[in-house]
Amino acid sequence: MKTEVAIIGAGPAGLLLGHLLRAEGIDCVVIERQTGDHVLSRIRAGVLESITVELMARLGLDARMRAEGLVHGGFNLADGERLIRIDVAELTGQTVLVYGQTELTRDLMDAAGPRGLEVVYGADDVALHAIDSDAPYVTYTCKGRARRIDAAIVVGCDGFHGPSRRAIPASAGRVFERVYPFGWLGILADVPPCNHELIYANHERGFALASMRSPTRSRYYIDVPLTERIEDWDDDRIWDELAVRLGPDAAAHITRGPALEKSIAPLRSFVFEPMRHGNLLLCGDAAHIVPPTGAKGLNLAASDIHYASAALIGWLRHGDRDAIAAYSDKALARVWKSERFSWSLTRLMHRFPEDGAFERRMQVAELDYIASSEAAQRAIAENYVGLPV
Ligand code: FAS
Ligand code: PHB
């Protein structure tokens, strides 16, 4: 089989790219290891920056998110004694949209068939070949049959554990990484949120986040040591810990209910440079990971796709090969700013095992400064709504 662009991974990055290319009449195929149901079963991001919403709008796929998503003009930082509201709407003129990654992925999946976007699910043993040549190709097996797709270029949207980044020779790339000494235990439940906006809490017992998916569905997180197992956390234990860490005002409004899903995710900051090697581009988690504290992961994938789709259209439709050459530097410039914000908010809102009294005082002083400075709040707000692309 021949195509113009072979996309590996049918998560939000891969599907968004596939749709954007199809909309320009560019031939592409998305190759996914899992089933569509499995992709949708993963509970991930919840807060969308304007770039993510704008790409869906460009595709005409934003109707449901605008109908069901929640426009948020602010969020809160709590540290036991106080609640500091960051009024992003007032400080930046922008808002964020609370709409689950699962639903965004579902919107993209549902539109694939009607729009002629070919997605191969259940592809095993996906491997990339000749990415340094002008004739790269991808092999895989599906339903027991070996398949091959020849392409002009391959785009790795296969997440942190996919094969694309690993197809680049170690000598050709550089890894920057920080692994955090805790993970996030998340719970999803059909109960109303405890607050109409998100609350990020730094309590002496640890971090907590009160988020949501709708007025009737909540998403909460607490940080736990990496040694913890989800089997040791029954629902009541999670609700009890959330009530303590979020503080008495929020706790008074927590509605408990059975977990629809609960899991522990490790946290890391990770960047692989460059995000292009020959005729392979890397997008999204295939190239970088941020701790979810800043709600950047999905949105960074979207900005990568914004740059990658423009470069691919420029090359494949207008012969501008320079756009492909410029992709990595352009994407990395925004990636690193989001990495910094996510790392800094993680540093501010979590208790690190190695921290002493001085580090705790630094956290208190920074929260005091944020509480008293519009300039400090604006700096946080412009990162939270998303820096310009
Ligand atoms: P994805 O990982 O979503 O998609 C990659 C796709 O490639 C998957 O469907 C996978 O099955 C497929 N794939 C992998 N290997 C393959 C192979 N060998 N062959 C073919 N296909 C293959 N971000 C936030 O903003 N907020 C959050 O709260 C948040 N929580 C997260 C929790 C967890 C547990 C994880 C892992 C991530 C979380 N993220 C969060 C980040 C997450 O939302 C990602 O940024 C987002 O999924 C990135 O999208 P993709 O780059 O498409 O990668
Ligand atoms: C979520 O709702 O899943 C969510 C929201 C904000 C974050 C992380 C996760 O920073």
Side-chain angles (χ1 to χ4, degrees):
M1 177 184 188
K2 277 187 77 68
T3 189
E4 290 180 277
V5 184
I7 301 168
I8 301 177
L15 290 175
L16 204 46
L17 179 60
H19 276 295
L20 289 165
L21 296 180
R22 286 296 300 142
E24 295 291 328
I26 292 174
D27 205 20
C28 58
V29 180
V30 185
I31 306 147
E32 166 61 47
R33 177 174 62 180
Q34 304 290 356
T35 64
D37 287 344
H38 180 93
V39 174
L40 291 176
S41 68
R42 296 184 299 230
I43 306 302
R44 297 270 184 87
V47 173
L48 305 186
E49 295 175 3
S50 55
I51 178 59
T52 309
V53 177
E54 282 161 17
L55 288 174
M56 293 295 281
R58 190 187 308 175
L59 290 166
L61 294 176
D62 59 327
R64 193 161 76 98
M65 68 172 40
R66 293 194 190 281
E68 298 177 15
L70 304 174
V71 176
H72 278 205
F75 69 97
N76 302 277
L77 300 175
D79 71 343
E81 289 84 43
R82 62 188 154 183
L83 205 60
I84 306 167
R85 182 170 186 267
I86 308 296
D87 187 339
V88 298
E90 177 65 30
L91 292 161
T92 69
Q94 296 183 68
T95 57
V96 293
L97 189 72
V98 172
Y99 188 71
Q101 173 173 323
T102 300
E103 301 318 312
L104 179 141
T105 306
R106 192 193 310 279
D107 294 337
L108 291 165
M109 284 171 68
D110 290 350
R115 295 185 179 207
L117 173 60
E118 183 174 358
V119 184
V120 177
Y121 288 101
D124 291 320
D125 311 315
V126 173
L128 293 80
H129 308 272
I131 56 175
D132 275 321
S133 78
D134 290 339
Y137 63 97
V138 176
T139 57
Y140 63 94
T141 56
C142 194
K143 299 187 179 79
R145 283 185 53 205
R147 310 287 176 92
R148 168 171 167 154
I149 298 180
D150 291 88
I153 195 165
V154 181
V155 183
C157 297
D158 45 340
F160 185 68
H161 300 290
S164 296
R165 188 177 67 250
R166 293 173 175 80
I168 298 174
S171 59
R174 188 175 173 192
V175 168
F176 302 83
E177 185 171 29
R178 164 106 200 250
V179 178
Y180 294 91
F182 37 70
W184 275 18
L185 186 159
I187 184 171
L188 186 73
D190 275 337
V191 294
C194 68
N195 193 56
H196 68 290
E197 291 177 331
L198 275 63
I199 302 174
Y200 295 80
N202 176 339
H203 185 273
E204 63 186 11
R205 288 177 64 88
F207 171 85
L209 169 58
S211 184
M212 62 200 77
R213 291 292 178 270
S214 74
T216 59
R217 177 167 287 191
S218 298
R219 178 70 168 164
Y220 288 96
Y221 298 90
I222 54 173
D223 80 315
V224 294
L226 290 171
T227 50
E228 287 295 307
R229 301 177 320 130
I230 195 65
E231 299 79 27
D232 299 332
W233 285 82
D234 65 30
D235 293 2
D236 282 339
R237 185 182 176 196
I238 299 171
W239 291 120
D240 291 344
E241 196 62 33
L242 281 164
V244 171
R245 294 188 188 189
L246 287 167
D249 291 349
H253 296 90
I254 288 178
T255 305
R256 298 184 176 213
L260 299 173
E261 185 270 353
K262 57 185 176 184
S263 54
I264 297 176
L267 267 60
R268 76 177 73 235
S269 296
F270 177 95
V271 178
F272 180 88
E273 289 187 352
M275 290 173 60
R276 170 188 165 239
H277 179 79
N279 276 312
L280 169 63
L281 304 184
L282 299 179
C283 296
D285 280 16
H288 44 72
I289 297 287
V290 286
T293 322
K296 292 296 149 219
L298 172 57
N299 297 296
L300 259 186
S303 53
D304 289 350
I305 294 306
H306 168 77
Y307 298 129
S309 59
L312 289 162
I313 294 161
W315 175 44
L316 294 170
R317 285 298 171 269
H318 310 295
D320 176 11
R321 182 73 185 174
D322 291 345
I324 295 290
Y327 163 71
S328 179
D329 287 347
K330 183 171 278 192
L332 282 168
R334 192 172 192 270
V335 164
W336 277 114
K337 293 189 186 102
S338 288
E339 289 282 347
R340 183 210 64 82
F341 175 67
S342 304
W343 165 81
S344 66
L345 201 58
T346 302
R347 185 90 203 89
L348 175 63
M349 299 309 290
H350 292 72
R351 306 287 174 102
F352 285 68
E354 68 272 18
D355 280 359
F358 176 79
E359 286 74 16
R360 179 57 193 145
R361 281 302 176 103
M362 287 296 97
Q363 288 184 333
V364 173
E366 186 167 351
L367 286 165
D368 286 345
Y369 172 51
I370 292 165
S372 61
S373 163
E374 185 176 300
Q377 291 181 23
R378 181 171 284 110
I380 289 178
E382 69 179 10
N383 279 278
Y384 197 78
V385 298
L387 297 176
V389 295

